[in-house]
């Protein structure tokens, strides 16, 4: 199995972009191109919603296919492809936005509040921040003898 050339070229672009322009010299054309491509607002928008898109794409495609086949069951493959594309992309963007705003962001905020609360509790008790507290019921206290210790 060989890696497709396009994948290799894409990753070369990513890695080269990480090292270009780090010495304080004026940005090269390559660095400007790299920044323009990877800091594009459209790409950033879809990147921030990529998990919601991933979760929603199969049900949205299936629903659009079901609707299309009921509207026009005798459509040919090209007509079906074009129609499904025109139906699925906007529907997927809308569903992904709803999932992102209604579930993903509130879930991230809820997890952050829990983490901050646990961090405050553990740091006020003198334990290492973010670590379970031994002997408090979360992690049982276990005595482990060193292998060189003799049993008496």
């Amino acid at each position: 199995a060989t890696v497709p050339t396009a994948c290799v070229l894409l990753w070369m672009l990513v890695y080269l972009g990480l090292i270009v322009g780090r010495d304080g010299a004026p940005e090269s054309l390559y660095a400007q191109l790299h920044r323009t491509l990877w800091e594009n607002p459209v790409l950033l928008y879809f990147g921030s919603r990529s998990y919601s898109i991933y979760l929603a794409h199969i049900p949205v495609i299936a629903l659009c296919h079901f609707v299309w086949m009921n509207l026009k069951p005798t459509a040919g493959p090209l007509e079906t492809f074009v129609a499904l594309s025109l139906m699925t992309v906007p529907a997927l963007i809308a569903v992904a936005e709803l999932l992102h705003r209604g579930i993903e962001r509130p879930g991230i905020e809820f997890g952050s509040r829990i983490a901050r609360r646990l961090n405050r509790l553990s740091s006020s008790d003198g334990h290492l921040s973010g670590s379970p507290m031994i002997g408090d019921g979360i992690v049982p206290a276990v005595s482990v003898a060193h292998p060189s210790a003799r049993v008496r």
Side-chain angles (χ1 to χ4, degrees):
T2 61
V3 178
T5 306
C7 290
V8 172
L9 292 175
L10 176 66
W11 281 108
M12 285 176 57
L13 177 68
V14 170
Y15 285 121
L16 285 173
L18 294 174
I19 60 174
V20 171
R22 289 188 176 260
D23 59 357
E27 278 191 322
S28 67
L29 177 62
Y30 175 80
Q32 290 174 0
L33 175 66
H34 186 272
R35 186 173 31 82
T36 302
L37 287 174
W38 295 109
E39 294 177 9
N40 182 319
V42 174
L43 293 179
L44 293 173
Y45 173 82
F46 283 110
S48 69
R49 280 131 180 95
S50 62
Y51 187 63
S52 296
I53 291 170
Y54 164 71
L55 290 177
H57 80 280
I58 295 295
V60 168
I61 291 170
L63 179 64
C64 288
H65 186 263
F66 176 78
V67 168
W68 176 251
M69 294 313 283
N70 283 326
L71 289 174
K72 195 149 186 193
T74 59
L78 181 62
E79 185 181 4
T80 299
F81 174 77
V82 170
L84 281 178
S85 297
L86 293 174
M87 290 170 61
T88 301
V89 171
L92 183 56
I93 292 170
V95 170
E97 186 66 28
L98 290 173
L99 285 173
H100 180 73
R101 289 181 186 212
I103 295 174
E104 189 175 354
R105 275 197 336 212
I108 290 169
E109 291 168 7
F110 179 68
S112 295
R113 283 196 307 272
I114 290 173
R116 281 192 304 271
R117 195 170 294 151
L118 287 174
N119 194 19
R120 278 195 308 267
L121 287 174
S122 64
S123 63
S124 67
D125 290 344
H127 293 85
L128 290 176
S129 175
S131 66
M133 293 171 267
I134 307 275
D136 63 357
I138 296 174
V139 176
V142 177
S143 174
V144 179
H146 191 271
S148 65
R150 291 191 294 179
V151 178
R152 296 179 195 213

